[in-house]
Amino acid sequence: MIPLHQAIYSSVKSSYLCLIVMNDMSDEISDNKFESALRVNDGVEQPSQVDENAVKLFKTKRKELLSVDEYVDGILNGNRTILSQAITLIESSLHTHKLLAQQIIERCLPYSGNSFRIGITGVPGVGKSTFIEAFGTYLTGKGHKLAVLAIDPSSSRSHGSILGDKTRMEELSTDMNAFIRPSPAAGSLGGVARKTRESIILCEAAGFDIIFIETVGVGQSETAVHSMVDFFLLLMLAGAGDELQGIKRGIMEMADAIVINKADGDNLLKAKTARIEYQNALHLFPPPDSGWNPEVETMSARLKDGMDRVWDILQRYRELVFNNGYFELNRRRQMKLIMYDAIEQMLTDHFYDHKGVKGEIPQTETDLLGHRISSYQAAQKLFNIYFSKE
Ligand code: GDP
């Protein structure tokens, strides 16, 4: 574990170190290497400046944990440092931190729910961070308060996520009306998703009225993001072919809007053609129960062109689903889904944590692979051990 102060100085010197300061108690939560408060990301360019939050947190590093009241007051007053520290508690693997986080969440819940939650997905390179930077500043320019969160399950493999990285969004990261939080470090998708969902509650209580949740458009994380947002935006490129873009049919089906990025220069015409093709393709999907017909638009995040068209889509969607009751219906469905997901997760964790089950798994696998028992019998055997009284 790198001491916090050392890591801060390294981030200035090194060309590849990107410091993500998660809290003021990094030493204490280092019991799990994947849950480190500090994560070092490979392949990210040197940040242009030291993260001011990091410095502030560094100065208060040795401070005791705040009381629940202090966290809650800080969040409700829109204090971004305290919000950041509270999210760190959500992400911590320490039991005491988790308990504290739950109390804070409970107190913030009555103040949550008032944002427009927007999921943003697309394969790496499509222009997500350029878009978030451009569209984010467009929105804060309109007086909105924007929080950018991320879900990147691949971080469990690469030991570090770049999604939501502030160095990718330089303008937005210095914007007082924006709050950028990188993807929680590693863990199961379910675990990462839970942390992001809980972070949404705190961000909303802190007064952020628009929340972006960014994810990479290649895997299951889309389903997780879809289950926590009001609107799902898919970024695509013209002429890259769906397969090349790794976009699965299911992801397109979830999209409330497809925005074709990089509609500039030589690419402009191709983007316009792609727009018509995607629009036609979307008509083939069954109509969503939101009553909204997904739309396709073009933009250039680099030239900041098309931001008003994207905003127009989002506003019209919101108006429609507010009025037809879908907004509320969807939120309620999501809340139930989260509860059942949580139950499944708890049961699974409990099962695999069971001492007897843990001890018996290797032999059961050997018996299974030696064709001595069937997969079903193997599962039943472990299940019986789980329910035995020992
Ligand atoms: P991400 O991996 O999806 O976050 O993609 P980035 O935002 O990092 O963009 C990948 C590359 O595409 C970068 O080199 C961007 O400068 C470039 N890019 C992003 N948006 C546009 C755009 O609208 N037009 C053009 N021509 N390039 C863009």
Side-chain angles (χ1 to χ4, degrees):
M1 187 70 199
I2 317 166
L4 188 58
H5 64 279
Q6 220 177 321
I8 287 180
Y9 295 132
S10 308
S11 80
V12 183
K13 285 181 193 156
S14 156
S15 62
Y16 69 94
L17 274 183
C18 170
L19 212 212
I20 301 168
V21 172
M22 312 288 279
N23 74 352
D24 59 348
M25 1 114 177
S26 58
D27 294 341
E28 288 113 54
I29 63 169
S30 62
D31 56 331
N32 177 342
K33 66 179 170 162
F34 291 141
E35 293 284 345
S36 165
L38 282 172
R39 286 181 292 120
V40 176
N41 293 342
D42 288 331
V44 176
E45 282 177 15
Q46 181 180 354
S48 60
Q49 59 191 55
V50 175
D51 177 347
E52 283 181 16
N53 254 357
V55 176
K56 266 188 225 148
L57 292 177
F58 169 59
K59 285 181 183 159
T60 59
K61 179 178 184 300
R62 288 294 156 207
K63 245 177 76 178
E64 295 292 307
L65 288 177
L66 303 177
S67 68
V68 175
D69 280 347
E70 285 169 319
Y71 281 113
V72 174
D73 288 348
I75 291 168
L76 296 182
N77 286 322
N79 182 322
R80 298 188 313 170
T81 306
I82 291 183
L83 171 65
S84 204
Q85 289 171 337
I87 292 179
T88 302
L89 292 175
I90 289 176
E91 292 171 351
S92 169
S93 54
L94 275 191
H95 189 61
T96 46
H97 292 175
K98 283 184 188 171
L99 283 181
L100 191 53
Q102 288 312 313
Q103 286 174 289
I104 299 167
I105 291 166
E106 207 177 303
R107 292 268 304 275
C108 285
L109 255 181
Y111 305 94
S112 72
N114 295 324
S115 78
F116 192 12
R117 305 167 183 169
I118 301 162
I120 298 171
T121 194
V123 292
V126 72
K128 290 183 297 300
S129 43
T130 314
F131 169 66
I132 291 172
E133 168 100 339
F135 194 49
T137 31
Y138 171 86
L139 292 175
T140 57
K142 282 185 169 297
H144 291 284
K145 285 188 75 186
L146 169 74
V148 181
L149 307 174
I151 290 188
D152 180 11
S154 67
S155 60
S156 54
R157 269 169 273 142
S158 61
H159 299 192
S161 161
I162 55 164
L163 278 188
D165 190 332
K166 291 179 184 181
T167 58
R168 292 158 72 231
M169 303 165 195
E170 281 178 25
E171 202 179 333
L172 205 56
S173 64
T174 55
D175 188 328
M176 287 311 289
N177 285 318
F179 175 80
I180 303 176
R181 182 77 184 189
S183 178
S188 64
L189 173 59
V192 171
R194 181 184 66 78
K195 290 168 188 174
T196 304
R197 282 190 189 113
E198 292 179 339
S199 303
I200 291 176
I201 295 170
L202 301 195
C203 288
E204 288 176 343
F208 291 94
D209 65 328
I210 297 186
I211 314 236
F212 287 169
I213 298 160
E214 181 193 6
T215 190
V216 188
V218 286
Q220 287 182 318
S221 51
E222 276 60 41
T223 318
V225 171
H226 189 244
S227 71
M228 64 179 85
V229 296
D230 307 310
F231 189 97
F232 196 66
L233 184 69
L234 174 60
L235 298 188
M236 301 276 273
L237 295 174
D242 296 354
E243 278 183 27
L244 253 185
Q245 296 190 46
I247 295 295
K248 299 201 172 67
R249 186 197 142 102
I251 296 176
M252 270 184 71
E253 218 168 330
M254 284 191 281
D256 296 302
I258 293 178
V259 178
I260 300 158
N261 190 30
K262 308 196 186 182
D264 47 43
D266 293 346
N267 221 14
L268 189 57
L269 206 64
K270 267 199 285 181
K272 285 185 174 164
T273 314
R275 181 183 174 207
I276 297 166
E277 284 170 5
Y278 281 125
Q279 192 77 69
N280 290 337
L282 285 180
H283 284 315
L284 302 176
F285 293 141
D289 49 3
S290 59
W292 166 260
N293 289 319
E295 296 191 9
V296 188
E297 210 17 285
T298 58
M299 69 163 177
S300 168
R302 181 181 278 175
L303 302 182
K304 301 190 178 189
D305 174 56
M307 301 304 116
D308 43 359
R309 296 194 294 272
V310 176
W311 184 225
D312 179 60
I313 292 178
L314 286 161
Q315 281 180 303
R316 281 189 290 110
Y317 173 87
R318 187 157 58 163
E319 202 186 322
L320 178 90
V321 295
F322 259 156
N323 291 336
N324 71 10
Y326 181 78
F327 186 90
E328 189 53 31
L329 176 79
N330 188 40
R331 286 261 175 116
R332 291 162 78 104
R333 272 187 195 158
Q334 290 176 340
M335 284 194 283
K336 283 205 279 185
L337 194 82
I338 293 166
M339 183 185 82
Y340 289 113
D341 274 358
I343 292 172
E344 273 178 41
Q345 192 61 50
M346 286 173 196
L347 283 173
T348 308
D349 290 349
H350 202 256
F351 179 82
Y352 288 110
D353 273 352
H354 189 279
K355 232 170 140 187
V357 170
K358 257 192 214 165
E360 199 55 32
I361 282 180
Q363 185 56 45
T364 310
E365 278 193 5
T366 309
D367 291 344
L368 172 69
L369 300 178
H371 303 288
R372 285 182 286 281
I373 50 172
S374 70
S375 300
Y376 178 76
Q377 285 170 320
Q380 188 67 54
K381 183 179 145 198
L382 293 172
F383 215 58
N384 291 345
I385 292 171
Y386 178 67
F387 280 112
S388 66
K389 292 242 156 59
E390 299 145 35

